[in-house]
Amino acid sequence: WVPLFLRRAGDFRPPRRLSTPMVMIGPGTGVAPFRGFLQQRLADMQAAGSTSPATAVLYFGCRKPDEDYLYEQDWAALAGAGALQSLRVAFSRQQASKEYVQHLLKEDSRSVAKLIAAGGHVYVCGDGAAMAKDVHATLLALLRDEMGLSEGQAAE
């Protein structure tokens, strides 16, 4: 016997239009839905005969590349097919100081802000206890600093 809990996905799906940018943030197993998002994007590209969709950026975090780098070959194939334009990976245990997805977001704050300003969708999936709070704080700071929004505006 295995307990099973189902939840409706609601609006957690890729944009319907290829012209909508996507920023996906999924450390650990939280990256799994984004594989499906990008596979759908590739299928939509093929159906539309498109080779240049809007930018799709994936931020993925894991401990070490040789231990838990999930779907590494899939990301390379999706990038090669044009469905994924940028893959940013944070390895938290690969070096002396820990690096997480929020550090990469901070490094890329200008380009992420441009994608958001262009109507991009931002998705966060994964550990809701710690990572989500840190990523949320990083995104709020990015909106304030790069887009000149107030704290209240950024929170909306």
Side-chain angles (χ1 to χ4, degrees), residues 7-13:
R7 259 192 319 185
R8 261 199 178 319
D11 290 330
F12 192 72
R13 62 174 57 98

Side-chain angles (χ1 to χ4, degrees), residues 2-152:
V2 176
L4 178 65
F5 302 95
L6 300 176
R7 259 192 319 185
R8 261 199 178 319
D11 290 330
F12 192 72
R13 62 174 57 98
R16 297 189 194 286
R17 301 174 68 209
L18 288 172
S19 58
T20 303
M22 290 193 297
V23 177
M24 300 162 285
I25 306 159
T29 57
V31 77
F34 302 134
R35 183 172 169 241
F37 278 29
L38 292 166
Q39 289 169 337
Q40 181 64 54
R41 190 173 189 87
L42 180 58
D44 292 346
M45 287 169 54
Q46 292 168 342
S50 172
T51 56
S52 57
T55 300
V57 180
L58 174 62
Y59 290 88
F60 171 61
C62 62
R63 293 171 188 237
K64 295 181 180 178
D66 58 342
E67 288 180 10
D68 52 359
Y69 192 159
L70 302 175
Y71 310 121
E72 180 179 6
Q73 294 166 344
D74 292 336
W75 305 135
L78 288 160
L84 177 63
Q85 285 69 41
S86 179
L87 172 62
R88 300 280 281 137
V89 184
F91 298 112
S92 63
R93 306 297 192 278
Q94 185 70 12
Q95 59 284 325
S97 63
K98 294 180 181 178
E99 182 176 61
Y100 297 110
V101 290
Q102 59 267 28
H103 298 126
L104 299 178
L105 281 168
K106 196 176 289 189
E107 286 176 16
D108 299 346
S109 61
R110 181 162 286 146
S111 61
V112 172
K114 286 181 182 178
L115 292 173
I116 294 170
H121 293 194
V122 178
Y123 303 92
V124 181
C125 188
D127 170 30
M131 175 281 302
K133 292 175 189 165
D134 293 338
V135 167
H136 185 256
T138 301
L139 287 170
L140 288 178
L142 179 151
L143 293 171
R144 281 191 326 265
D145 299 345
E146 296 295 336
M147 298 176 73
L149 299 179
S150 69
E151 189 78 30

